[in-house]
Amino acid sequence: MIPSDVFRDLPVLTDDRLRLVPLAEEHFDGVRRMLDDPVGRRLTGTHHTFTDDEVRRHLATRADHHDRADWAITEAATGAFLGEAVLHELDAPNATAGYRISLLGPEVFSRGYGTAATRLVLNYAFDVAGLHRVGLEVFDFNVRAQRVYEKCGFVREGIYRSALYWDGIWHDVIAMGIIASDPRPA
Ligand SMILES: CC(C)(COP(=O)(O)OP(=O)(O)OC[C@H]1O[C@@H](n2cnc3c(N)ncnc32)[C@H](O)[C@@H]1OP(=O)(O)O)[C@@H](O)C(=O)NCCC(=O)NCCS
């Protein structure tokens, strides 16, 4: 059994290019840009338009929520904000959480950041936090994200038919998951 506050004292996660640090108020400018990017909004199915107050409140309260882990993905060399990665929807008795990731915008897509950040988070989730399972949902048209998740060891588990309505079209949502004993290709 893992504790319901398993994400208290969230560690910094690093590799040679990235530094994932607890998401906080200092990341406002980057998060604001990310939330306003039309490409990212479609890929994440974000219908809601967040006000500055909502964003600031969200960032200011991250450290108070020990049942989820919100990281800012930053460039190790410069500290530049590249996006966010989140473990959320913790189900402690079943040692399960959900995962989502979003990079700043198309200018930083397809440079390997998403794959590297996801690997760091999964290593933390299974090897440090002791989770048994991490699940996620991804839209049928988001083939880049699906590729990244598969590269990191997520397995396609099913489809929610017509679960996203975007620009007048219904889209399927693909459920993916990885469990602690699954291979995590490097
Ligand atoms: C999804 C996301 C996190 C991926 O991170 P990334 O840094 O862009 O992706 P990476 O560079 O690590 O890897 C991209 C992979 O997808 C592949 N890819 C890119 N575009 C593709 C396309 N149109 N079709 C198929 N594969 C594609 C790349 O070739 C690469 O795979 P490879 O290493 O085997 O060549 C990032 O693009 C993002 O934040 N997108 C917007 C928000 C989003 O979609 N979030 C996920 C919601 S579920």
Side-chain angles (χ1 to χ4, degrees):
M1 172 83 100
I2 62 165
S4 57
D5 65 347
V6 63
F7 302 129
R8 188 188 289 275
D9 303 324
L10 203 57
V12 171
L13 309 178
T14 54
D15 67 9
D16 52 342
R17 286 199 302 164
L18 297 182
R19 193 173 152 79
L20 274 58
V21 302
L23 189 71
E25 287 146 299
E26 73 205 66
H27 303 114
F28 175 82
D29 291 346
V31 172
R32 178 76 274 172
R33 266 182 64 195
M34 183 177 75
L35 291 172
D36 291 342
D37 181 78
V39 177
R41 288 178 68 84
R42 173 174 174 269
L43 291 169
T44 54
T46 305
H47 290 295
H48 183 69
T49 300
F50 294 93
T51 65
D52 283 359
D53 275 356
E54 281 177 305
V55 177
R56 286 189 203 285
R57 211 173 315 126
H58 177 76
L59 295 176
T61 54
R62 287 316 81 202
D64 306 331
H65 293 265
H66 305 136
D67 60 348
R68 53 180 286 156
D70 294 81
W71 286 277
I73 304 166
T74 69
E75 189 178 41
T78 63
F81 179 86
L82 296 172
E84 68 170 10
V86 182
L87 288 168
H88 61 154
E89 298 171 350
L90 175 69
D91 174 355
N94 291 309
T96 291
Y99 177 63
R100 66 179 172 74
I101 180 170
S102 184
L103 298 184
L104 182 60
E107 66 272 27
V108 297
F109 293 174
S110 289
R111 295 187 191 173
Y113 294 140
T115 303
T118 300
R119 286 184 174 139
L120 285 171
V121 171
L122 291 179
N123 289 343
Y124 163 80
F126 293 125
D127 302 340
V128 181
L131 291 183
H132 173 68
R133 173 185 159 81
V134 175
L136 61 81
E137 294 178 1
V138 56
F139 302 132
D140 54 4
F141 54 79
N142 197 347
V143 286
R144 179 172 41 232
Q146 290 166 42
R147 171 78 190 123
V148 166
Y149 298 143
E150 279 166 2
K151 274 200 298 179
C152 295
F154 282 91
V155 174
R156 284 170 74 110
E157 296 177 328
I159 289 184
Y160 299 101
R161 294 174 304 145
S162 286
L164 173 74
Y165 188 66
W166 197 265
D167 275 350
I169 298 173
W170 291 101
H171 298 276
D172 292 345
V173 174
I174 297 165
M176 302 183 80
I178 178 170
I179 57 177
S181 55
D182 282 339
R184 272 176 267 155

